Amino acid sequence: MSGSEVILEVGNLSKVYDREVLMLEKLSFEQGKIYGIIGPSGAGKSTFLRLVNLLEAPTTGNIYFRGQKVALNGKANLELRREMTMVFQKPLLFNCSVQENIAYGLKARRYPRGKIRARVEELLKKVGLQGMAHRHATTLSGGEAQRVALARAVAFEPALLLLDEATANLDPPNVELMERLILDLNQETGMTFLMVTHNIFQARRIAHEVAFLYAGRLVERGKTEKIFTSPQDQRTRDFLEGRMVY
Ligand SMILES: Nc1ncnc2c1ncn2[C@@H]1O[C@H](COP(=O)(O)OP(=O)(O)OP(=O)(O)O)[C@@H](O)[C@H]1O
Ligand SMILES: [Mg+2]
């Protein structure tokens, strides 16, 4: 797998609600990397992920997935849906068993039964929840539920995973577990991650590159160590050093 293939690119991507909350002239992401997206509250991080995930239509601009322009007119984009999924801060699980939750996407894609069962077991093992297949989703703790949500999201090996504060509600051991999973998935399958996080230490720990958004704009991006050790923009410095008031 070539590390330099661009998997996702956006151009002149904007979102206007009562005012413009996002405007990204050009931003591209390479396949196989983990990207940390950081920035103060209200910077437009979640909006960006929602647009990429086609949960909302942009006001202007385009999204290119593997060089192909994505239709943003509400068409199903089935191909693309297969290629990316999103995990939110609050685990969204269906009101059924762990097994059914994880199997959901596989069933929809008509995987054979035996294969589904094996895959669910494999995933549960990966997220450290062996033997939990028949538990009802509502009986899980927050950390367990989030791990099931991650297992469900990666069940059919999407090429791109969008994480919006996916570990924000978890205790340190669960955060570590999730980070380990992200790193493993990235290394084993070359999955690309766009990880929005308030936790700049998390970005520093696992992201290959970091993008800093401020007031809907990209202020700077670059290799993680470089952004942390020699940020070029005063606003990035202020943010990383906790001096930004917002
Ligand atoms: N549906 C909406 N209608 C109006 N304004 C919205 C809507 N969704 C988001 N906004 C505004 O857009 C701006 C960016 O919001 P967004 O949720 O993308 O920020 P964020 O960077 O994810 O912040 P946080 O770190 O707090 O999650 C905010 O000022 C928010 O109030
Ligand atoms: Mg947000």
Side-chain angles (χ1 to χ4, degrees):
M1 185 202 59
S2 145
S4 59
E5 190 195 333
V6 171
I7 186 165
L8 181 80
E9 182 168 323
V10 302
N12 291 318
L13 191 73
S14 77
K15 185 70 189 178
V16 176
Y17 292 115
D18 43 345
R19 64 194 172 82
E20 186 177 86
V21 301
L22 189 73
M23 175 62 218
L24 298 171
E25 273 142 34
K26 185 171 184 292
L27 190 54
S28 63
F29 301 92
E30 288 171 9
Q31 177 157 328
K33 284 196 174 155
I34 301 173
Y35 291 91
I37 299 174
I38 59 172
S41 194
K45 306 178 299 294
S46 295
T47 303
F48 172 61
L49 288 195
R50 284 201 305 275
L51 297 183
V52 169
N53 197 33
L54 313 178
L55 288 171
E56 266 183 75
T59 307
T60 67
N62 284 302
I63 298 172
Y64 303 86
F65 191 80
R66 294 214 175 96
Q68 298 261 21
K69 193 162 152 179
V70 176
L72 299 170
N73 53 6
K75 283 215 186 99
N77 275 309
L78 281 180
E79 277 301 309
L80 194 57
R81 296 226 169 268
R82 230 161 269 177
E83 299 258 32
M84 73 182 165
T85 37
M86 187 148 158
V87 177
F88 300 86
Q89 179 170 350
K90 285 195 201 123
L92 287 173
L93 294 180
F94 303 122
N95 189 13
C96 52
S97 73
V98 165
Q99 151 126 357
E100 286 165 312
N101 263 283
I102 298 177
Y104 181 82
L106 302 172
K107 262 192 198 152
R109 287 168 187 83
R110 302 189 189 288
Y111 272 45
R113 256 206 208 180
K115 219 172 147 189
I116 292 183
R117 215 172 300 132
R119 182 80 177 127
V120 169
E121 274 313 312
E122 180 193 338
L123 286 160
L124 281 177
K125 199 164 158 216
K126 227 187 190 57
V127 299
L129 297 174
Q130 299 96 310
M132 290 258 215
H134 300 293
R135 280 277 292 277
H136 199 272
T138 51
T139 67
L140 301 173
S141 75
E144 290 163 351
Q146 194 59 301
R147 282 185 268 159
V148 171
L150 185 67
R152 187 180 63 192
V154 302
F156 55 95
E157 293 201 356
L160 178 61
L161 207 66
L162 310 171
L163 306 173
D164 195 355
E165 311 278 5
T167 66
N169 290 335
L170 305 181
D171 66 347
N174 271 296
V175 170
E176 201 186 323
L177 215 146
M178 291 280 287
E179 289 179 2
R180 190 73 257 157
L181 284 169
I182 293 167
L183 285 168
D184 286 351
L185 285 163
N186 172 256
Q187 270 154 23
E188 287 164 14
T189 68
M191 206 176 276
T192 308
F193 289 85
L194 302 194
M195 177 181 74
V196 163
T197 180
H198 275 136
N199 184 338
I200 56 173
F201 304 105
Q202 175 167 64
R204 191 166 191 174
R205 278 194 298 269
I206 68 172
H208 299 119
E209 288 197 27
V210 167
F212 174 61
L213 299 190
Y214 178 75
R217 304 263 166 171
L218 176 73
V219 172
E220 68 179 287
R221 67 170 291 182
K223 292 224 176 347
T224 304
E225 261 326 285
K226 189 150 186 297
I227 293 284
F228 278 90
T229 55
S230 52
Q232 300 300 300
D233 193 282
Q234 186 60 43
R235 289 164 296 181
T236 318
R237 280 196 285 276
D238 286 347
F239 180 72
L240 292 176
E241 288 165 20
R243 269 182 277 124
M244 186 168 273
V245 180
Y246 54 88

